[in-house]
Amino acid sequence: MFRAQWMFELAPGVGSSGLEAQPCRAARGALLKAAADTKGKQELAKEEKARELFLKAVEEEQNGALYEAIKFYRRAMQLVPDIEFKITYTRSPDGDSAGNTHMEDSDTSSKMADLLSCFEQQLTFQESVRKLCQPELESSQTHISALPMEVLMYIFRWVVSSDLDLRSLEQLSLVCRGFYICARDPEIWRLACLKVWGRSCIKRFPYTSWREMFLERPRVRFDGVYISKTTYIRQGEQSLDGFYRAWHQVEYYRYIRFFPDGQVMMLTTPEEPPAIVPRLRTRSTRTDAILLGHYRLSQDTDNQTKVFAVITKKKEEKPLDYKYRYFRRVPVQEADHSFHVGLQLCSSGHQRFNKLVWIHHSCHMTYRATGETAVSAFEIDKMYTPLFFARVRSYTALSERPL
């Protein structure tokens, strides 16, 4: 219409006289009518194209090609947003709404967006369950797709296991589209979040899904161990002649491993990681100097996540010594030692939540006879180097319990 009006204004003799104006008005009307006819034909062609795409999507959906169906649905709705209400079609008996007929109706674009999301949800989580995956080669053995959906999801929970090995779940999702859908099951990620944060994670705000919360919210990692190495120079004793004094370079390591059930292990030893890391696989280790305890995550007003732990040394029952039972011994006041540790969780480099910075370390001695407690705080200096995370494959090689 704009082009027709523009051509009419450029026509010679417009507005010069009444006699010339009448033919010009007729030409203008003819041009407007031609433009309207052209626009109507374009709209009909666009609607016919959208109708073909929509029916093609319905056919693909009935054949089980779910992702292709979503692609055609989107293309059809991009051409005509309310194409579903302008055509009439009937679903096959395999569909969720068999026998339903969609007729012409008026609706807003927001409803069409909701309809598209509803289509995607139904296609991905309902109808795809029936055809989760197909064998690549023909075989006489029973394929995994023949298992019920409940059994398959139970297998996925075994893959995650009680150690929260979500990395293996992500690798399993790369097998096929059906496994990708199963690995995105919100119930698996919800249970994993409850394991890490407890009831405090019921409100997902500001995260849109349980998976996003588990991946983005700061947390300690369970598929490895945090390690720090400390090196310092210590002055040795003076020689007998007084002209020589030795200097020693001392190296030792700190190891901290966290478990999903709230337990933690800490060990300080001069032995290198290849000899110590395999011993920290389970809590029933025979290492004498290891400390066991519990930890919790805390988030302050500055949105910084901190880890607080209370750990104690493993109690050992020493056998009674009857060799010197006739000698009088000086009574020794026994006490229980517990260490209070505070760490700040950080991310460094390309890895997330892989750094722990010391913020507090103290020793609490409780005397058994009097019940009094003496606290001695250690000064956090250069001797307390940050701990960095190292993933250990053997920690998640076996599953003891499902999620």
Side-chain angles (χ1 to χ4, degrees):
M1 293 177 64
F2 172 80
R3 183 180 295 273
Q5 184 177 1
W6 172 65
M7 293 177 64
F8 168 73
E9 292 175 355
L10 293 180
V14 175
S16 60
S17 64
L19 295 176
E20 294 177 353
Q22 187 173 3
C24 290
R25 291 193 187 97
R28 178 183 178 184
L31 290 174
L32 292 176
K33 184 177 180 182
D37 293 342
T38 304
K39 183 179 180 180
K41 292 180 180 178
Q42 293 178 355
E43 292 293 331
L44 290 177
K46 184 188 295 184
E47 185 174 341
E48 184 65 21
K49 180 65 176 178
R51 181 177 181 276
E52 293 178 1
L53 291 173
F54 196 91
L55 294 179
K56 180 67 175 176
V58 174
E59 182 181 358
E60 295 290 343
E61 178 184 353
Q62 293 175 353
N63 294 335
L66 307 176
Y67 288 86
E68 287 75 11
I70 294 177
K71 187 193 333 181
F72 287 119
Y73 279 132
R74 286 178 176 172
R75 291 175 58 186
M77 291 181 181
Q78 287 175 356
L79 294 176
V80 181
D82 56 346
I83 184 60
E84 185 186 13
F85 303 100
K86 291 186 177 182
I87 63 175
T88 303
Y89 74 97
T90 303
R91 284 182 179 267
S92 65
D94 295 335
D96 291 336
S97 56
N100 292 344
T101 304
H102 298 265
M103 301 298 292
E104 182 177 357
D105 193 9
S106 61
D107 202 354
T108 59
S109 60
S110 61
K111 284 191 174 183
M112 297 311 301
D114 296 339
L115 180 63
L116 180 58
S117 62
C118 181
F119 271 137
E120 293 179 357
Q121 183 178 6
Q122 289 181 357
L123 290 174
T124 55
F125 293 104
Q126 291 182 8
E127 296 206 6
S128 63
V129 169
R130 302 173 187 174
K131 297 181 179 180
L132 185 64
C133 56
Q134 297 178 356
E136 182 178 4
L137 302 175
E138 294 185 0
S139 175
S140 59
Q141 300 179 353
T142 303
H143 193 254
I144 192 173
S145 60
L147 293 176
M149 191 62 183
E150 295 78 9
V151 176
L152 194 61
M153 293 307 302
Y154 188 67
I155 295 176
F156 274 65
R157 290 177 58 186
W158 266 101
V159 172
V160 178
S161 75
S162 58
D163 296 327
L164 297 186
D165 186 14
L166 275 305
R167 187 176 185 275
S168 297
L169 182 67
E170 291 293 295
Q171 292 178 338
L172 187 61
S173 66
L174 303 178
V175 174
C176 62
R177 294 178 179 179
F179 279 22
Y180 178 87
I181 295 172
C182 292
R184 296 299 187 273
D185 184 23
E187 183 63 18
I188 292 180
W189 295 94
R190 186 185 72 87
L191 293 176
C193 291
L194 288 176
K195 273 267 192 179
V196 177
W197 295 285
R199 295 294 178 181
S200 61
C201 71
I202 294 180
K203 295 182 179 180
R204 295 185 306 182
F205 181 81
Y207 308 102
T208 58
S209 63
W210 295 108
R211 182 175 180 272
E212 182 183 356
M213 174 185 286
F214 188 87
L215 297 178
E216 300 296 333
R217 186 173 178 179
R219 56 177 174 82
V220 292
R221 299 181 59 177
F222 311 113
D223 55 343
V225 60
Y226 290 86
I227 307 175
S228 70
K229 179 181 180 181
T230 304
T231 303
Y232 67 94
I233 303 297
R234 181 176 62 84
Q235 187 177 11
E237 296 181 358
Q238 191 175 7
S239 61
L240 297 176
D241 54 7
F243 294 99
Y244 174 76
R245 183 180 293 273
W247 292 85
H248 304 279
Q249 181 178 357
V250 182
E251 294 182 354
Y252 66 91
Y253 298 84
R254 284 192 180 96
Y255 304 87
I256 296 181
R257 191 194 172 187
F258 299 93
F259 294 90
D261 58 355
Q263 296 192 24
V264 61
M265 293 192 306
M266 188 173 75
L267 177 63
T268 302
T269 176
E271 297 187 53
E272 296 184 354
I276 294 298
V277 167
R279 304 182 193 175
L280 302 179
R281 186 180 183 278
T282 60
R283 281 156 283 194
S284 59
T285 179
R286 297 182 179 180
T287 307
D288 297 333
I290 200 165
L291 302 176
L292 298 176
H294 294 80
Y295 74 94
R296 63 178 178 88
L297 298 176
S298 176
Q299 190 171 5
D300 55 13
T301 55
D302 298 335
N303 292 329
Q304 294 182 351
T305 303
K306 299 179 180 179
V307 184
F308 296 97
V310 178
I311 52 182
T312 58
K313 191 175 181 180
K314 295 175 60 178
K315 295 182 180 180
E316 299 178 358
E317 297 182 359
K318 297 183 178 180
L320 297 177
D321 187 6
Y322 295 99
K323 184 176 180 180
Y324 303 101
R325 63 181 181 274
Y326 298 108
F327 291 90
R328 184 178 180 181
R329 295 184 179 182
V330 179
V332 179
Q333 191 174 11
E334 297 182 354
D336 295 329
H337 296 75
S338 62
F339 297 91
H340 292 229
V341 176
L343 302 164
Q344 182 176 345
L345 185 62
C346 309
S347 299
S348 64
H350 299 286
Q351 297 186 7
R352 299 175 61 84
F353 325 129
N354 67 327
K355 183 179 179 181
L356 292 175
V357 181
W358 290 86
I359 57 177
H360 175 74
H361 189 201
S362 62
C363 178
H364 293 235
M365 294 183 296
T366 304
Y367 298 99
R368 299 178 183 177
T370 60
E372 297 179 355
T373 302
V375 180
S376 58
F378 302 102
E379 185 179 356
I380 303 299
D381 53 6
K382 62 180 181 179
M383 304 296 291
Y384 289 85
T385 57
L387 298 101
F388 291 91
F389 180 80
R391 189 174 70 90
V392 184
R393 297 181 180 179
S394 62
Y395 287 177
T396 56
L398 300 176
S399 299
E400 296 180 357
R401 294 184 304 276
L403 177 64

